[in-house]
Amino acid sequence: MVLVDGKTCKVAVFVCVNDRPIERVSCAKVGGLEFYQQLKERVKTLGLHQSHWITRTGCLGFCNSTGTTVAVFKTGKDPIWYNEVKMEHLETIWKEINS
Ligand code: FES
């Protein structure tokens, strides 16, 4: 095991992109991958990739048929979880990430 230097990370965001190849709901079916890609692209465009770690994940346990699940972990703050997230919520979550 090797320790990773994560000191540059100010915020870590997990976006569920889980895709179930069956009828059961999953975040890929409600825009999870698109939300992740938009967030990742914004961080990349703004050159914030060292401090803003955006990660796509498997199921985070809050599956629904409305929107994806997003978890925001900011240094020194309590985690914030969002469920039923749609693309229209991108700006709200972006503000939270940077507040
Ligand atoms: S599939 Fe995304 S929370 Fe379960």
Side-chain angles (χ1 to χ4, degrees), residues 2-20:
V2 177
L3 274 176
V4 173
D5 182 5
K7 289 184 188 121
T8 63
C9 181
K10 303 293 180 222
V11 56
V13 181
F14 296 156
V15 180
C16 179
V17 301
N18 189 38
D19 189 7
R20 291 192 174 96

Side-chain angles (χ1 to χ4, degrees), residues 16-18 20 25-28 58-64 68-69 83:
C16 179
V17 301
N18 189 38
R20 291 192 174 96
V25 296
S26 62
C27 289
C59 180
L60 291 169
F62 297 99
C63 325
N64 65 87
T68 190
T69 302
N83 196 10

Side-chain angles (χ1 to χ4, degrees), residues 3-53:
L3 274 176
V4 173
D5 182 5
K7 289 184 188 121
T8 63
C9 181
K10 303 293 180 222
V11 56
V13 181
F14 296 156
V15 180
C16 179
V17 301
N18 189 38
D19 189 7
R20 291 192 174 96
I22 55 174
E23 288 299 311
R24 203 172 139 214
V25 296
S26 62
C27 289
K29 294 183 175 89
V30 290
L33 183 59
E34 292 78 9
F35 193 88
Y36 161 77
Q37 288 170 333
Q38 285 289 314
L39 208 50
K40 188 86 173 174
E41 187 59 35
R42 181 173 297 196
V43 164
K44 210 169 155 183
T45 301
L46 296 172
L48 297 172
H49 59 280
Q50 298 257 349
S51 59
H52 292 53
W53 295 6

